[in-house]
Amino acid sequence: ISGLNAAGVDVADLRVSPPAVSRHVLKTQGFAAAVHVGSSHLDPEAIFIRIYEPPGILLTPSLQKEIEKNFTRQELRRVPADGVGSVSYPARVRESYAQDLLDSLDSGTIRERRFRIVVDYGYSAASFVLPLVVGPLGVEAISAHGFFSQEVGERETLAQAIGHTKRLVTAVGADLGAVFDQSGERLYLVDEQGHEVPVDQTLLLYVRLLAEAGTHGKAAFPVTVTSNVEKIAGDGLEIIRTPNSLSDLTKAASGEGVVFAGAVGGGYVFPQFLPAYDAVASLSKLLELLAPLRRPLSELVAELPPPTLIHRRIACPWAKKGVVMRVLNERLAGRDVDVTDGIKLIDERGWSHVLPDPDEPLVHLYAEGETEEASEELEREVRDLVEEIMQGDASAARTSVQASS
């Protein structure tokens, strides 16, 4: 904040708030950008500084390049003493967020259902916000692991939190259990029988519930998400595919006519409220969709198509990623391929997908057929092809060295 002030930028300090609240302020109060500092949901030792742009989407690649350019060139704005920015502390931002969320829900139907739920906040600041939402909705929430600023012993991992929630759900006879990640963005579900709902099934559950509720509009998913979303979307939902990045997904979600977006991993987007991952909004919308059905969660999940999607990772040196993708593209010339992100090969058995990791020396392989056996066959074929290209590149390099010797 001091650095931004020194560059002449006025800053609104939201102190301890979940990222969804800062994005809501960005969307509703006309700020130019939002910055959220918090722990990584994958590595508690890592601190993430995330930048968002209007209307609350993650930093787009074009703006990221602009920031990096100015940072590396040290072309930083200097202002005179009278141009130094100010710091303000907006009042009641949590209450404003909660009220806008409540206004977007069918509160009466949810109140009639009288849900009892278990919520593990994952030590996130969402514990300051969710009570402002579930209270007016008449939802009885038994909670655990709210935010605290001082470290108290050893924190539970996500797996431990889900296990703890399973036991609580059955003990109190709850309709469902919800576990948040530490940023309050991702949502993990436990059904009324104390069974964890896999994240890929949760994504399909949202699609099915939206379709059965008669929702019309577009639903956005990365190219790596199961084709079952098309099968259960019905006539009301138009499925659009995006590159496999959160930035591209949230940018697509903010487009006209998009009513839902999501990816495997616990992140769901309801852009009519906020075009970003938000566990509080995701849970609230789930309660709204479940309320009129009056059926147990486990029953609804059991009716979903069984998952056959395979995802594997293989090591690939940074220097070979480009070669693998270029040669693979040449080998698959004339076949039915989708190059939205990586290379996705489609045939009558299903599809397989090769996607280089942007941050690690890895290549991701996805495959999905009608059965698990078909998926394994598709994955094995594309894995053999990728490994052959990597080995062939190494053999070519050794031959070249021997020839020059």
Side-chain angles (χ1 to χ4, degrees):
I1 290 175
S2 298
L4 290 167
N5 288 160
V9 178
D10 295 329
V11 177
D13 185 358
L14 303 184
R15 301 190 177 182
V16 178
S17 293
V21 169
S22 59
R23 292 191 292 255
H24 180 259
V25 172
L26 174 63
K27 177 184 176 182
T28 59
Q29 298 191 24
F31 286 90
V35 180
H36 184 83
V37 182
S39 300
S40 163
H41 74 286
L42 296 174
D43 181 2
E45 297 296 320
I47 299 297
F48 275 20
I49 301 175
R50 291 190 177 93
I51 302 174
Y52 302 92
E53 54 183 289
I57 65 174
L58 191 64
L59 182 72
T60 55
S62 58
L63 184 54
Q64 180 177 335
K65 289 178 182 177
E66 186 69 18
I67 292 172
E68 290 172 348
K69 180 189 74 175
N70 285 277
F71 180 77
T72 54
R73 292 180 182 176
Q74 293 296 297
E75 294 177 349
L76 309 177
R77 180 182 179 189
R78 269 92 175 167
V79 295
D82 59 357
V84 172
S86 63
V87 180
S88 61
Y89 300 91
R92 302 182 65 80
V93 290
R94 298 169 187 164
E95 289 80 0
S96 173
Y97 163 91
Q99 188 57 55
D100 281 1
L101 178 55
L102 288 167
D103 290 343
S104 72
L105 300 171
D106 183 357
S107 302
T109 303
I110 299 174
R111 275 194 293 268
E112 288 176 11
R113 177 68 186 269
R114 301 187 64 81
F115 283 103
R116 173 182 289 178
I117 65 174
V118 171
V119 181
D120 189 302
Y121 289 110
Y123 310 99
S124 71
S127 58
F128 296 147
V129 177
L130 186 63
L132 302 176
V133 177
V134 295
L137 293 176
V139 176
E140 181 184 355
I142 296 89
S143 61
H145 301 137
F147 176 84
F148 50 81
S149 58
Q150 300 297 321
E151 202 66 51
V152 181
E154 188 174 333
R155 295 189 175 193
E156 284 191 348
T157 64
L158 177 62
Q160 289 172 330
I162 292 174
H164 184 231
T165 302
K166 289 178 181 179
R167 294 189 293 273
L168 272 177
V169 165
T170 53
V172 302
D175 296 295
L176 60 91
V179 179
F180 295 175
D181 71 345
Q182 197 169 338
S183 64
E185 294 182 309
R186 290 168 175 80
L187 170 68
Y188 306 91
L189 294 180
V190 173
D191 67 24
E192 81 288 348
Q193 296 179 356
H195 299 142
E196 180 183 357
V197 181
V199 286
D200 52 352
Q201 295 294 85
T202 302
L203 185 61
L204 291 179
L205 176 67
Y206 273 110
V207 176
R208 180 191 168 184
L209 291 174
L210 286 166
E212 291 185 350
T215 307
H216 286 77
K218 300 175 183 176
F221 305 96
V223 289
T224 54
V225 164
T226 173
S227 298
N228 284 327
V229 293
E230 279 91 354
K231 295 177 182 177
I232 64 176
D235 298 329
L237 292 175
E238 176 191 349
I239 305 301
I240 58 176
R241 296 287 185 164
T242 74
N244 191 45
S245 78
L246 181 54
S247 176
D248 287 300
L249 182 65
T250 55
K251 184 177 180 181
S254 65
E256 186 176 353
V258 179
V259 295
F260 178 69
V264 173
Y268 313 104
V269 183
F270 290 89
Q272 291 172 327
F273 172 64
L274 199 63
Y277 286 176
D278 179 357
V280 174
S282 298
L283 176 58
S284 301
K285 292 298 290 186
L286 178 65
L287 296 178
E288 179 187 52
L289 292 166
L290 290 174
L293 301 180
R294 298 189 177 275
R295 294 177 62 195
L297 182 60
S298 60
E299 204 174 277
L300 295 170
V301 172
E303 295 172 356
L304 296 171
T308 61
L309 178 64
I310 293 173
H311 174 208
R312 297 210 170 99
R313 303 169 181 83
I314 60 173
C316 179
W318 283 102
K320 290 188 179 180
K321 284 186 180 181
V323 174
V324 166
M325 302 309 291
R326 176 177 56 79
V327 175
L328 192 61
N329 195 41
E330 293 171 357
R331 295 271 189 96
L332 299 177
R335 305 278 296 275
D336 185 4
V337 296
D338 180 350
V339 292
T340 301
D341 193 7
I343 299 175
K344 186 175 186 177
L345 174 63
I346 304 166
D347 66 22
E348 65 279 358
R349 297 171 298 166
W351 57 268
S352 54
H353 194 163
V354 180
L355 186 66
D357 192 288
D359 302 313
E360 300 289 340
L362 300 170
V363 169
H364 296 268
L365 304 179
Y366 297 85
E368 184 178 39
E370 289 294 327
T371 63
E372 290 185 15
E373 292 75 15
S375 300
E376 290 284 355
E377 182 182 357
L378 288 163
E379 188 275 335
R380 185 168 55 253
E381 288 176 8
V382 75
R383 173 161 40 89
D384 290 345
L385 191 53
V386 169
E387 290 176 346
E388 179 188 333
I389 293 171
M390 287 196 291
Q391 292 168 3
D393 181 58
S395 300
R398 286 196 297 271
T399 304
S400 175
V401 170
Q402 290 168 357
S404 48
S405 300

